[in-house]
Amino acid sequence: MTTTNNALNPSFTLERHASGRLLLTDANGRQHLGVVPVRAFPIAAPDEGVSLIGSEGHELAWLDHLNTLPPAMRGLIDEELSLRDFVPEIKRLKSVSSFGTPSTWTVETDRGDTTFVLKGEEDIRRLSRESLLIAAGHGVHFSVKDMNALDRASRRLLERFL
């Protein structure tokens, strides 16, 4: 396993292979095709603790923090993670069908507008004082990173369920 703590000189290189998969070349010159980045804490700390896993399931490198990587390498990892992790961030609550559950929510997210069913109040989980994770009826999780950043009407709707 390779560990990188020094941003400017990681002990490996990473590039996109002609097949479209990631190719990691370690400090010994060994190439590993089909590398997959996996977040340790995808919701609570998405830019911290990322493991690069080889095609055989073994960790090839550990990244303490994505912000310390060279921009090209960071871009490759971000592209792969965006395909793997799908947690839209709620920017605004447009409407809620009722203040009891189940209820249908219409929201604006960073990925576009959508509607989902909130089965129960227990499907809203506080991650911190300002952030929430909401489990929708169809298995997708939505995040609210900062409740204070929501408009007043959205906060009032959301507070009815907290």
Side-chain angles (χ1 to χ4, degrees), residues 121-143:
E121 291 175 7
E122 65 276 2
D123 290 335
I124 301 175
R125 190 174 76 198
R126 265 191 200 277
L127 299 177
S128 70
R129 197 166 189 202
E130 297 84 23
S131 64
L132 304 169
L133 185 65
I134 301 171
H138 48 66
V140 173
H141 287 81
F142 294 86
S143 71

Side-chain angles (χ1 to χ4, degrees), residues 14-67:
L14 194 64
E15 60 187 291
R16 176 119 13 235
H17 186 266
S19 66
R21 300 185 308 179
L22 290 183
L23 175 67
L24 182 141
T25 304
D26 65 23
N28 298 322
R30 288 187 302 250
Q31 294 188 329
H32 305 272
L33 183 60
V35 172
V36 176
V38 178
R39 287 183 169 115
F41 306 101
I43 305 297
D47 291 337
E48 298 175 19
V50 175
S51 180
L52 299 178
I53 306 295
S55 60
E56 299 194 8
H58 299 286
E59 183 175 274
L60 301 172
W62 174 260
L63 308 171
D64 290 329
H65 206 288
L66 291 180
N67 290 337

